[in-house]
Amino acid sequence: MRPFRRRGEEVVARLVDAEADIVTLLLDQLEQLLTADRADTGGDPVVERLFPAGHAGDPEVAADYRELTEDGLRTGKAADLATVRATLPPDGGEVRLDPEQARAWLRTTNDLRLALGTRLGITAETEPPDDPSSDEGQQLAVYYWLTAVQGSLVDALAGGRGGRW
């Protein structure tokens, strides 16, 4: 991947085909979570992470908060996901994003990292696995790659703000 860089009013990066495939796969998995029936995802730690409780100490307040906010959050996440899909070159290549698209990518890469990190049980103490070619090693590599994608996007957005972003 060539990291995101500011080019005029846009941010631009380049993904190889395997990276575009990974993003597509992760988007498919996130979309499944966002469109699943709530009854089917109740108690799923990833869903809990993506839609956190509004109040940790009072289950009734938390349930009321979720009822008031979850549909709007799901709709916003789905719209961001659709923007990422629309701007992702399916076979790799250049990604060119205007300010709104860049913010959608930022929110979606955050959701992807939260979901993957939750599934993998990543904490501040997580260390690289002994065998990087293991399933766990490969999944951690994807997590850290997403972190780099998100970081380059943040840097590109922050580097040329000029009050317009």
Side-chain angles (χ1 to χ4, degrees):
M1 175 189 168
R2 207 174 320 145
F4 280 100
R5 299 284 184 243
R6 184 74 180 262
R7 295 237 174 90
E9 294 296 313
E10 296 179 315
V11 292
V12 180
R14 180 170 291 282
L15 301 176
V16 299
D17 58 345
E19 293 167 330
D21 291 345
I22 289 169
V23 173
T24 299
L25 175 66
L26 293 172
L27 292 174
D28 291 346
Q29 293 171 357
L30 180 60
E31 186 173 42
Q32 288 174 357
L33 283 174
L34 295 177
T35 59
D37 187 288
R38 286 187 192 128
D40 295 338
T41 59
D44 183 328
V46 172
V47 173
E48 296 297 321
R49 186 77 169 116
L50 292 173
F51 304 103
H55 195 285
D58 187 332
E60 188 174 322
V61 171
D64 289 345
Y65 176 81
R66 184 174 300 274
E67 186 175 323
L68 291 171
T69 61
E70 189 170 340
D71 285 341
L73 288 172
R74 281 182 186 271
T75 299
K77 289 177 185 301
D80 288 342
L81 190 145
T83 298
V84 173
R85 278 194 196 282
T87 56
L88 178 68
D91 298 320
E94 191 171 75
V95 178
R96 299 185 75 81
L97 306 174
D98 66 29
E100 187 56 37
Q101 292 167 332
R103 288 188 290 273
W105 267 74
L106 197 55
R107 290 185 296 265
T108 299
T109 55
N110 189 62
D111 286 345
L112 294 173
R113 286 183 64 249
L114 284 173
L116 189 55
T118 300
R119 287 280 187 250
L120 295 174
I122 291 178
T123 67
E125 290 80 35
T126 299
E127 294 184 18
D130 294 333
D131 180 8
S133 65
S134 69
D135 284 347
E136 180 189 14
Q138 292 174 1
Q139 291 172 349
L140 277 172
V142 169
Y143 176 83
Y144 291 125
W145 175 77
L146 276 173
T147 301
V149 170
Q150 188 179 37
S152 76
L153 184 52
V154 167
D155 289 346
L157 290 172
R161 268 187 172 248
R164 293 187 299 242
W165 286 79

